[in-house]
Amino acid sequence: METEEIIKNASAWLADTFDPQTRKEVQQLIDNDPEELRERFYKNLEFGTGGMRGTMGAGTNKINKYTLGKNTQGISNYLKQQFPDQALKVAIAYDCRHNSDTLAKVVADVFSANGIKVYLFSELRPTPELSFALKHLNCHCGIVLTASHNPPEYNGYKVYWQDGGQIVPPQDHEIIDEIEKLSFEDINFNSNETLIEYIDKEIDEAFITASVANASFDTKNKDDFSVVFTSLHGTSITVLPEVLKRAGYNNVHIVESQAKPDGDFPTVKSPNPEEPEALAIAIESANELNADMVIGTDPDGDRLGIAVRDNDGEMILLNGNQTMILMTRFLLENWKKEGKINGNQFIASTIVSTPMMKVLADTYKVSYREALTGFKWIAKMIVDFPKEQFIGGGEESFGFMVGEFVRDKDAITAALLACEIAANAKSEGSSFYQDLIDCYLEMGMYHEKLISLTKKGISGADQIKKMMIQLRENPLKSLDGSKVVRIEDYANSTRLNIESSTTETMNIPKSNVLIYYTEDGSKIAARPSGTEPKIKFYFSVKGELNNAALYEKAVGELNQKIDRIIQELPLD
């Protein structure tokens, strides 16, 4: 975008439509900081896999009351088109981030100004509770103000539909079309307070009850199981302790220094339970208490990190693929014991997650379905296959969903499920870690790794684009000495079989993802993030494991294999 057009876009924010503070902020940028001005006004902030997410501040490429107000006005208009003559209802939740509460009220104001009934949580709550509340209250739409585990300067806006899942095509594009028809002057901020109803304890009670019902099994000796829990300054503190208590877990130790919700996340570099550093304080506490497990959730309570003791008694952080495999296997095993598997069930995961999920499905004779990255696609499967039961599923990025009662990744219920697995294993003389090794012995040794490269700003976006072009136009012929046999390009829905030189069309929505498969069972996926300035590379490699005592050796060898593959990729 040319400088003149950027100044024109910015100057529009000096009109009386915008509040004095916003006008002052924009004027200062026009006068003093052309680079920052460009960053804020060179485009409109876009919806990605997880909704709209960005840094806060004035500008079309920022999260603020006007960009979110415009979204909400567009959604209000769309709701009226889709549900004519119905009494429209929406539910709104928000997390611990700076301005989340005030932005949530702005969103509520705009909906109510448009004659739409609003159920607004009175205080912060986890994202999965919003998905539950939407269905529980028979709402047409739901909104969560959150930026997940992003740094403190971020916030975001996630949109949910009647089924409790996030919006998917064609709704997302139709909503965007409605939003783009609007100017900021079209936003109705004049709230109708009689249409805004605050919700809290009643919904908490229903959600907690459902969570316990869906993730509790006949687990013995719970009093002999000890867990350390950290909410990483986020929302799960509002419900997870009560969920565990009602499920019979009395030895739950809360990390008090991280229990208070705080959008600055003062005790961690990043409030992301995928990162070992985020759980360092909890692991230290677990070692002091000789606890069996550590569970940590991200700020909006949808991702779950788990640390357990290995066979030497050391606390280690498991990755999302490992926890997903063990959770899914435990659910399948219990469904099998109860005689509930009859061929009309399925489990699900994503295209960048471990291939072991397919092996699990085949082993237990249920269907396996694979989706694009993002839980909205897994939730959509429940809608698309109404005659089949969804048992559970997840993705590599530390998200899991137990059953159908919540239609998004749910760290609250998944945390309880993890405790059930670990407590059950301990009561049988095993452990969470040993159960994982047993999985590999039974079904094959798979090992995964993720690397994420941050490329900020306009130049960063250009770098990411060039990386993907390089991988597409100059495809790698082999990886670690093994021939590439198949390339899947989700941008154009094609699957290329190298040996036969044939191309087939994949029946899946388009996405900017490229996956290489090799002769020896390796899988390497490249995917620019839909919500962050990052490009991610997902590695899955396969090996042999015939003896539990050789597990650590096998992991080391597979890590070396991944390192060799990384050296062959064009990552600069």
Side-chain angles (χ1 to χ4, degrees), residues 453-477:
L453 306 177
T454 299
K455 305 287 184 180
K456 292 185 177 181
I458 302 168
S459 61
D462 189 53
Q463 283 180 274
I464 290 171
K465 185 177 179 181
K466 286 178 179 176
M467 276 189 197
M468 294 301 290
I469 290 172
Q470 168 77 358
L471 288 167
R472 285 190 170 99
E473 295 186 353
N474 300 290
L476 297 163
K477 301 291 191 295

Side-chain angles (χ1 to χ4, degrees), residues 39 79 140 151 198 280 282 340 381-382 436 483:
E39 185 65 36
L79 284 167
H140 298 82
Y198 290 90
K340 296 196 298 183
M381 291 174 183
I382 298 172
L436 181 65
K483 286 193 301 183

Side-chain angles (χ1 to χ4, degrees), residues 57 105 127 326 329 356 358 364 377 391 393 489 515 562:
K105 182 58 167 62
T127 290
L326 215 47
R329 185 196 190 206
M356 197 170 172
K358 174 70 164 61
Y364 284 90
W377 301 110
I391 294 175
D489 190 345
I515 304 181
I562 290 173

Side-chain angles (χ1 to χ4, degrees), residues 84-157:
D85 305 318
Q86 289 192 30
L88 297 170
K89 299 187 291 184
V90 301
I92 302 172
Y94 57 91
D95 69 3
C96 59
R97 290 181 172 274
H98 298 302
N99 305 315
S100 279
D101 53 352
T102 55
L103 289 171
K105 182 58 167 62
V106 167
V107 172
D109 289 346
V110 175
F111 276 129
S112 69
N114 283 273
I116 298 171
K117 170 74 176 181
V118 177
Y119 295 100
L120 174 62
F121 276 98
S122 62
E123 294 179 319
L124 76 172
R125 288 295 187 278
T127 290
E129 188 170 354
L130 182 278
S131 173
F132 174 84
L134 194 163
K135 292 176 63 189
H136 185 73
L137 296 167
N138 296 311
C139 292
H140 298 82
C141 175
I143 306 291
V144 180
L145 280 299
T146 178
S148 189
H149 55 268
N150 281 54
E153 64 269 22
Y154 280 78
N155 215 317
Y157 182 95

Side-chain angles (χ1 to χ4, degrees), residues 164-190:
Q166 291 182 57
I167 56 170
V168 293
Q171 286 171 332
D172 54 356
H173 299 297
E174 291 169 355
I175 288 171
I176 290 167
D177 288 343
E178 282 300 316
I179 293 167
E180 289 180 348
K181 291 177 186 176
L182 301 172
S183 66
F184 292 105
E185 291 80 6
D186 296 323
I187 306 168
N188 188 349
F189 286 111
N190 299 315

